[in-house]
Coordinates of all heavy atoms in Angstrom, one line a residue:
Chain A
G16 N -102.9 46.7 -14.1 CA -103.3 47.8 -13.3 C -103.0 47.8 -11.9 O -103.2 48.8 -11.2
T17 N -102.4 46.7 -11.4 CA -102.1 46.6 -10.0 C -100.6 47.1 -9.9 O -99.8 47.3 -10.9 CB -102.1 45.2 -9.5 OG1 -101.4 44.3 -10.3 CG2 -103.6 44.7 -9.6
S18 N -100.1 47.2 -8.6 CA -98.7 47.4 -8.4 C -98.1 46.3 -7.5 O -98.7 45.7 -6.8 CB -98.6 48.8 -7.5 OG -99.2 49.8 -8.3
L19 N -96.7 46.3 -7.7 CA -96.0 45.2 -6.9 C -94.7 45.8 -6.4 O -94.1 46.6 -7.1 CB -95.6 44.0 -7.8 CG -94.8 42.9 -7.2 CD1 -95.7 42.2 -6.2 CD2 -94.1 42.0 -8.1
R36 N -83.6 46.4 -15.1 CA -84.7 45.7 -15.7 C -84.1 44.9 -16.9 O -83.3 45.4 -17.6 CB -85.8 46.6 -16.3 CG -86.9 45.9 -16.9 CD -88.0 46.9 -17.4 NE -87.6 47.7 -18.6 CZ -88.4 48.6 -19.1 NH1 -89.5 48.9 -18.6 NH2 -87.9 49.3 -20.1
I46 N -82.4 51.1 -14.4 CA -83.7 51.8 -14.0 C -83.3 53.1 -13.2 O -83.5 54.3 -13.6 CB -84.7 51.0 -13.3 CG1 -85.1 49.8 -14.0 CG2 -85.8 52.0 -12.8 CD1 -86.0 49.0 -13.3
Y57 N -82.9 58.6 -11.4 CA -83.5 57.8 -12.5 C -82.8 58.0 -13.8 O -82.3 59.1 -14.1 CB -85.1 58.0 -12.6 CG -85.8 57.6 -11.5 CD1 -86.0 58.3 -10.3 CD2 -86.4 56.3 -11.5 CE1 -86.7 57.8 -9.3 CE2 -87.2 55.8 -10.4 CZ -87.3 56.6 -9.3 OH -88.0 56.0 -8.3
G60 N -85.9 57.6 -19.5 CA -86.9 56.7 -19.9 C -87.6 56.1 -18.7 O -88.6 55.3 -18.9
F61 N -87.1 56.3 -17.5 CA -87.8 55.8 -16.2 C -88.1 57.0 -15.3 O -87.4 57.9 -15.2 CB -86.8 54.9 -15.6 CG -86.4 53.7 -16.3 CD1 -85.3 53.7 -17.1 CD2 -87.2 52.5 -16.4 CE1 -84.9 52.5 -17.9 CE2 -86.9 51.4 -17.1 CZ -85.7 51.4 -17.9
V62 N -89.4 56.9 -14.8 CA -89.8 58.0 -14.0 C -90.3 57.5 -12.6 O -90.7 56.3 -12.4 CB -90.9 58.7 -14.6 CG1 -90.5 59.5 -15.9 CG2 -92.1 57.8 -14.9
I63 N -90.3 58.4 -11.6 CA -90.6 58.0 -10.3 C -92.1 57.5 -10.0 O -92.3 56.7 -9.3 CB -90.2 59.2 -9.3 CG1 -90.4 58.8 -7.8 CG2 -91.2 60.4 -9.6 CD1 -89.8 59.8 -6.9
D64 N -92.9 58.1 -10.8 CA -94.3 57.8 -10.7 C -94.6 56.3 -11.0 O -95.4 55.6 -10.4 CB -95.2 58.6 -11.4 CG -95.3 60.1 -10.9 OD1 -94.9 60.3 -9.7 OD2 -95.8 61.0 -11.7
K65 N -93.8 55.8 -12.0 CA -93.9 54.5 -12.5 C -93.2 53.5 -11.7 O -93.6 52.4 -11.3 CB -93.5 54.3 -13.9 CG -93.6 53.0 -14.5 CD -94.9 52.4 -14.6 CE -94.9 51.1 -15.3 NZ -96.4 50.6 -15.4
F66 N -91.9 53.8 -11.2 CA -90.9 53.1 -10.5 C -90.5 53.7 -9.2 O -89.3 54.0 -9.1 CB -89.7 52.7 -11.4 CG -90.1 52.0 -12.7 CD1 -90.2 52.6 -13.9 CD2 -90.4 50.6 -12.5 CE1 -90.4 51.9 -15.0 CE2 -90.6 49.9 -13.7 CZ -90.7 50.5 -15.0
P67 N -91.3 53.9 -8.3 CA -91.0 54.5 -7.0 C -90.0 53.6 -6.3 O -90.1 52.4 -6.1 CB -92.2 54.8 -6.2 CG -93.2 53.9 -6.9 CD -92.8 53.7 -8.3
I68 N -89.0 54.2 -5.7 CA -87.9 53.5 -5.0 C -87.7 54.1 -3.6 O -87.7 55.3 -3.5 CB -86.5 53.6 -5.8 CG1 -86.6 52.8 -7.1 CG2 -85.4 53.0 -4.9 CD1 -85.5 53.0 -8.1
L78 N -88.3 48.5 -4.8 CA -88.7 49.0 -6.1 C -90.2 48.6 -6.3 O -90.5 47.5 -6.1 CB -87.8 48.4 -7.2 CG -88.3 48.7 -8.7 CD1 -88.1 50.1 -9.1 CD2 -87.6 47.7 -9.7
T79 N -91.0 49.6 -6.6 CA -92.4 49.3 -6.8 C -92.6 49.5 -8.4 O -92.2 50.5 -8.9 CB -93.3 50.3 -6.0 OG1 -93.0 50.1 -4.6 CG2 -94.7 50.1 -6.4
V80 N -93.3 48.6 -9.0 CA -93.7 48.7 -10.4 C -95.1 49.0 -10.3 O -96.0 48.2 -9.8 CB -93.4 47.4 -11.1 CG1 -93.8 47.7 -12.6 CG2 -92.0 47.0 -11.1
S81 N -95.5 50.3 -10.7 CA -96.9 50.7 -10.5 C -97.7 50.5 -11.8 O -97.2 50.6 -12.9 CB -96.8 52.2 -10.1 OG -96.0 52.4 -9.0
N82 N -99.0 50.4 -11.5 CA -100.0 50.4 -12.6 C -99.5 49.5 -13.8 O -99.4 50.0 -14.9 CB -100.3 51.9 -13.1 CG -101.4 51.9 -14.1 OD1 -102.4 51.1 -14.1 ND2 -101.5 52.9 -14.9
M83 N -99.3 48.3 -13.5 CA -98.6 47.5 -14.4 C -99.3 47.1 -15.6 O -100.6 46.9 -15.7 CB -98.2 46.1 -13.7 CG -97.0 46.4 -12.7 SD -96.6 44.8 -11.8 CE -98.0 44.5 -10.7
S84 N -98.6 46.9 -16.8 CA -99.3 46.5 -18.0 C -98.3 45.3 -18.5 O -97.3 45.1 -18.0 CB -99.1 47.6 -19.0 OG -97.8 48.0 -19.3
P85 N -98.8 44.7 -19.5 CA -98.0 43.5 -20.0 C -96.6 43.8 -20.4 O -95.8 43.1 -20.4 CB -98.8 43.0 -21.3 CG -100.2 43.4 -20.8 CD -100.2 44.6 -20.1
E86 N -96.4 45.2 -20.8 CA -95.1 45.5 -21.2 C -94.0 45.6 -20.0 O -92.8 45.7 -20.3 CB -95.1 46.9 -21.9 CG -95.8 47.0 -23.2 CD -97.3 46.8 -23.1 OE1 -97.9 47.3 -22.1 OE2 -97.9 46.2 -24.1
D87 N -94.6 45.6 -18.9 CA -93.8 45.6 -17.6 C -93.3 44.1 -17.3 O -92.4 44.0 -16.5 CB -94.4 46.1 -16.4 CG -94.7 47.6 -16.6 OD1 -93.9 48.3 -17.2 OD2 -95.9 48.0 -16.3
S88 N -93.6 43.1 -18.1 CA -93.2 41.8 -17.8 C -91.8 41.7 -18.1 O -91.3 41.9 -19.2 CB -93.9 40.8 -18.8 OG -95.4 40.8 -18.4
Y91 N -86.5 41.9 -12.8 CA -86.1 43.1 -12.1 C -84.9 42.6 -11.2 O -85.2 41.7 -10.3 CB -87.2 43.8 -11.4 CG -88.2 44.4 -12.4 CD1 -89.2 43.6 -12.8 CD2 -88.0 45.7 -12.9 CE1 -90.1 44.1 -13.7 CE2 -88.9 46.2 -13.8 CZ -90.0 45.5 -14.2 OH -90.8 46.0 -15.1
I113 N -97.2 40.0 -16.3 CA -98.5 40.7 -16.1 C -99.4 40.2 -17.1 O -99.1 40.1 -18.3 CB -98.2 42.2 -16.2 CG1 -97.5 42.8 -15.1 CG2 -99.6 43.0 -16.3 CD1 -96.0 42.8 -15.2

Side-chain angles (χ1 to χ4, degrees):
Chain A
T17 62
S18 299
L19 179 75
R36 180 177 73 180
I46 298 172
Y57 290 85
F61 297 96
V62 295
I63 188 171
D64 290 346
K65 176 66 176 177
F66 298 101
I68 290 171
L78 168 75
T79 298
V80 186
S81 304
N82 188 26
M83 289 184 286
S84 65
E86 292 71 34
D87 294 320
S88 296
Y91 294 86
I113 292 88

